[in-house]
Amino acid sequence: MSEPTQLGDRCSSRLAGGRGARNRREPASGAGLSRALHLPEFTSLCPITGQPDFAHFVVDYVPDARIVESKSLKLFFFSFRNHGAFHEDWHADDRQAADRAAAPQWLRIGGYWYPRGGIPIDVFYQTGEPPIGLYLPDPGVAPYRGRG
């Protein structure tokens, strides 16, 4: 059996299984640079019923010396497809993964969940006030109306 790879590089089997996000050196560091990553196809399982849950995640951050590779982040999020947890638990995992992968100067994660039991639940996390002068576009996710 060959060694696992991700994005063409050797990696641990834990990372290949999707439970970590990779980083790389920030190519264009400077004040005012932010990144917005949209993951509109997140799926997981309800921990009570086992039924699928769907969400649109938006990750905004100001990188420090490292940035999160987008494909690595996608693979990390997709690794939860067969895992059950409550919505708030996902955010704890997400922010810990982002801190481990890139240690950003500032981080905001928005999880826009489709209804479970008829109620859409949106969960947000932010590390503090955004840096002064930072342009932050609207996340672009409408309040629930079918979220189409």
Side-chain angles (χ1 to χ4, degrees):
M1 187 163 119
S2 64
E3 290 186 41
T5 62
Q6 183 173 13
L7 303 175
D9 296 329
R10 285 189 198 141
C11 62
S12 70
S13 58
R14 181 179 161 275
L15 183 60
R19 291 292 187 226
R22 292 177 41 146
N23 65 44
R24 64 183 177 89
R25 185 180 58 77
E26 168 55 72
S29 62
L33 179 68
S34 65
R35 292 185 55 132
L37 303 167
H38 291 257
L39 298 119
E41 300 173 351
F42 182 82
T43 58
S44 64
L45 299 175
C46 171
I48 305 299
T49 65
Q51 296 295 310
D53 279 331
F54 303 94
H56 181 154
F57 275 84
V58 179
V59 179
D60 295 304
Y61 73 100
V62 174
D64 196 4
R66 314 283 301 165
I67 60 172
V68 176
E69 292 178 339
S70 57
K71 183 173 182 180
S72 176
L73 184 67
K74 178 186 80 167
L75 294 172
F76 171 73
F77 272 80
F78 284 5
S79 73
F80 291 103
R81 286 195 168 156
N82 294 317
H83 182 76
F86 292 103
H87 299 327
E88 295 80 5
D89 295 337
W90 294 122
H91 289 271
D93 288 347
D94 297 341
R95 74 172 186 254
Q96 290 168 4
D99 283 337
R100 279 192 310 268
Q105 294 177 24
W106 179 80
L107 171 69
R108 175 176 69 181
I109 301 172
Y112 303 87
W113 293 85
Y114 290 79
R116 179 194 287 171
I119 301 172
I121 300 172
D122 297 338
V123 182
F124 304 95
Y125 171 77
Q126 184 171 311
T127 58
E129 292 296 319
I132 295 173
L134 179 69
Y135 171 68
L136 282 173
D138 183 274
V141 182
Y144 184 74
R145 288 193 178 176
R147 291 237 163 99

